Amino acid sequence: MTAVSLFGTFFALVFLRVPIAIALGVASLVVLVVSSGVFGLEMVTDIMYTSVAKFTLLAIPFFILAGVIMEQVGISKRLIDFAQALVGHRKSGIVLVTVIVAIFFAAISGSGPATVAAIGGILIPSMVKNGYKKETAGALVASSGAIGIVIPPSIAFIVFAVVAGDQIPVTINRLFAAGVIPGILMGIAFIIAAMIVRARQEKKGEFILPEGLEIRKATKKEQWSAFVGALPGLMIPVIILGGIYGGFFTPTEAAVVAVVYGLLVGIVVNRKDTFEKIYKIFVEAAIQTAVVMIIVSAASVFAYIITTEQIARDLSDSIMGLTSNPILILLLINVLLLIAGAFIDAISAYYIFVPILLPLIIFLEVDPTVFGVIMTVNLAIGLFTPPVGLNLYVAAGISKTNIVEISRGVIPFAIAAIIVLMLVTYIPALSTFLPDLLNVK
């Protein structure tokens, strides 16, 4: 009965378009009042405070701030210029540029929507100029932006480590390393999907290059100039990940280093604009951080009820009652997470589903790092699938298309991502190879 009340209230509020954080909080309060009366509310503030008062979670506001800084000081444009100089002249070169830049910016911001916002304003018009439909251009950018929560540093992996870490041994360092190969595989899958879309449109006569469009190969001098301009941005993943795996600092300290480095780059490269934008940068980062932390605190109360009322155990037992076949259980988990990701954000999903699914993962003896990657890839797909995929709305606004059009355009990329998801699910070595190679525990 408690489970029905909790999830019933939550999903009813979600379908009424109530913000996720409020839906989580209200559903939790309703259950607490029904089960314990008003005295059940006494613990709410303590749970919400302790959920965000963790050193590990300090990495989130700093990585968000670092991403905003990189966007505002022009790092994203310099990365685009460099990728364009390298591969922009090739057939479907603009597709390669879009995915490559998304991967690099993902390694800076750790956020899907931030990646779409940073690169979409330049790359969506460029794709349209190169003959692609607006909905295809927007769909590719929305899909590529989702790599932002898979490629390290990833805010999603930080949250997963915090939620799961109390029950199973899992570290942020290992999750970061585990996300590299799956993230690159997603990028390759999106490139292949975009090329297939282009081939089909050309066959139907729907892909028409504008008259007079000349795409020339950049000279060695132009490539070198673009590389020098992009070098500060290219160094960010090296500094962050090199520092973490070299043992120089923790992920939280790495986030602080990224902020300081970003400010220094901005002051040196674009001095006047950086000083003028500092107030705007901090305000935007504070708003984004507040949204994340409100969701974390509300979701923690929801997760507390799931755990203490034995809802997680009962739901896990129900799934295992359907089948004991590991392949089918993993498939059911993926279907559940794909559906959930289409309706709720990744952070909420971790707090809701990690307590439910962990007993299954322990039963199947799945490496918790692999589970973290599986769950994150699932939720990355949710970022660009309707009806609530945040990347879709950001890309639709930039490309000036409606949600229905861009949702149709995203279908080939969703299929490509699901293929990668199946590979990651059933070939654990794709996630564990790099952490094991680097001896990351």
Side-chain angles (χ1 to χ4, degrees):
M1 185 62 185
T2 302
V4 173
S5 300
L6 184 66
F7 286 101
T9 305
F10 171 69
F11 283 111
L13 292 171
V14 169
F15 282 114
L16 290 172
R17 306 184 76 85
V18 174
I20 295 293
I22 295 175
L24 288 166
V26 170
S28 302
L29 293 177
V30 168
V31 169
L32 287 172
V33 170
V34 170
S35 62
S36 307
V38 292
F39 296 105
L41 303 179
E42 293 179 353
M43 66 184 77
V44 171
T45 52
D46 287 339
I47 296 170
M48 295 180 76
Y49 174 76
T50 54
S51 68
V52 296
K54 296 179 179 178
F55 177 76
T56 304
L57 288 179
L58 273 176
I60 293 177
F62 284 112
F63 275 128
I64 289 174
L65 178 56
V68 175
I69 291 170
M70 302 309 167
E71 179 186 350
Q72 292 293 329
V73 302
I75 292 294
S76 57
K77 185 179 185 308
R78 292 169 182 269
L79 291 174
I80 291 170
D81 290 342
F82 177 50
Q84 188 76 47
L86 287 182
V87 297
H89 62 283
R90 299 178 180 276
K91 183 178 179 179
S92 298
I94 190 63
V95 170
L96 295 172
V97 171
T98 300
V99 175
I100 290 169
V101 172
I103 290 174
F104 270 109
F105 199 83
I108 296 172
S109 69
S111 166
T115 301
V116 175
I119 70 176
I122 300 172
L123 287 173
I124 290 176
S126 294
M127 287 191 69
V128 172
K129 181 182 175 183
N130 280 265
Y132 291 88
K133 293 180 178 180
K134 286 193 293 184
E135 56 265 34
T136 302
L140 177 60
V141 171
S143 307
S144 300
I147 301 173
I149 71 169
V150 181
I151 289 283
S154 163
I155 292 172
F157 280 144
I158 294 171
V159 175
F160 175 82
V162 170
V163 178
D166 293 335
Q167 299 182 54
I168 53 176
V170 58
T171 66
I172 296 174
N173 289 9
R174 187 167 175 82
L175 286 166
F176 277 5
V180 173
I181 293 176
I184 292 172
L185 285 176
M186 287 181 72
I188 294 170
F190 292 152
I191 291 171
I192 294 171
M195 290 179 174
I196 292 173
V197 169
R198 172 171 176 161
R200 291 180 63 185
Q201 290 178 349
E202 285 178 337
K203 189 175 181 180
K204 295 178 180 178
E206 296 175 352
F207 188 94
I208 303 172
L209 287 171
E211 287 187 24
L213 179 65
E214 181 184 354
I215 303 176
R216 66 177 184 82
K217 183 177 181 180
T219 64
K220 294 294 183 183
K221 183 178 180 181
E222 288 171 334
Q223 290 178 349
W224 176 253
S225 178
F227 169 72
V228 172
L231 188 58
L234 296 173
M235 287 299 298
I236 296 169
V238 176
I239 293 171
I240 294 174
L241 300 178
I244 291 173
Y245 297 122
F248 297 105
F249 35 71
T250 66
T252 302
E253 292 165 345
V256 178
V257 171
V259 169
V260 174
Y261 177 82
L263 287 172
L264 290 174
V265 168
I267 291 169
V268 172
V269 174
N270 211 352
R271 195 170 309 161
K272 181 181 176 182
D273 282 352
T274 300
F275 281 117
E276 290 176 351
K277 291 177 179 177
I278 280 181
Y279 175 76
K280 179 183 176 182
I281 286 170
F282 278 92
V283 168
E284 185 176 339
I287 292 171
Q288 291 184 30
T289 300
V291 171
V292 171
M293 291 306 180
I294 288 171
I295 293 173
V296 167
S297 58
S300 65
V301 182
F302 196 94
Y304 171 82
I305 297 172
I306 288 175
T307 303
T308 57
E309 295 293 329
Q310 304 298 320
I311 295 172
R313 185 196 64 188
D314 293 342
L315 290 175
S316 297
D317 290 344
S318 298
I319 294 174
M320 284 189 283
L322 296 174
T323 178
S324 59
N325 187 317
I327 295 175
L328 291 179
I329 291 177
L330 287 171
L331 184 61
L332 287 172
I333 289 174
N334 280 324
V335 171
L336 173 65
L337 291 174
L338 284 171
I339 294 171
F343 290 94
I344 58 178
D345 64 278
I347 293 171
S348 302
Y350 285 126
Y351 278 90
I352 295 170
F353 291 103
V354 167
I356 295 171
L357 298 176
L358 274 182
L360 288 172
I361 296 306
I362 294 170
F363 169 75
L364 297 176
E365 297 183 348
V366 174
D367 187 323
T369 302
V370 175
F371 174 55
V373 175
I374 292 171
M375 193 166 186
T376 302
V377 172
N378 266 293
L379 299 175
I381 295 171
L383 282 174
F384 62 92
T385 50
V388 189
L390 187 54
N391 285 16
L392 279 185
Y393 288 90
V394 177
I398 296 171
S399 62
K400 295 181 173 57
T401 57
N402 61 51
I403 290 298
V404 175
E405 290 175 335
I406 200 170
S407 295
R408 282 198 296 265
V410 89
I411 291 172
F413 304 108
I415 293 171
I418 290 172
I419 291 171
V420 173
L421 172 62
M422 292 299 104
L423 292 174
V424 169
T425 300
Y426 296 112
I427 308 177
L430 292 174
S431 301
T432 58
F433 172 76
L434 192 58
D436 290 343
L437 180 66
L438 300 175
N439 196 29
V440 179
K441 302 298 184 183

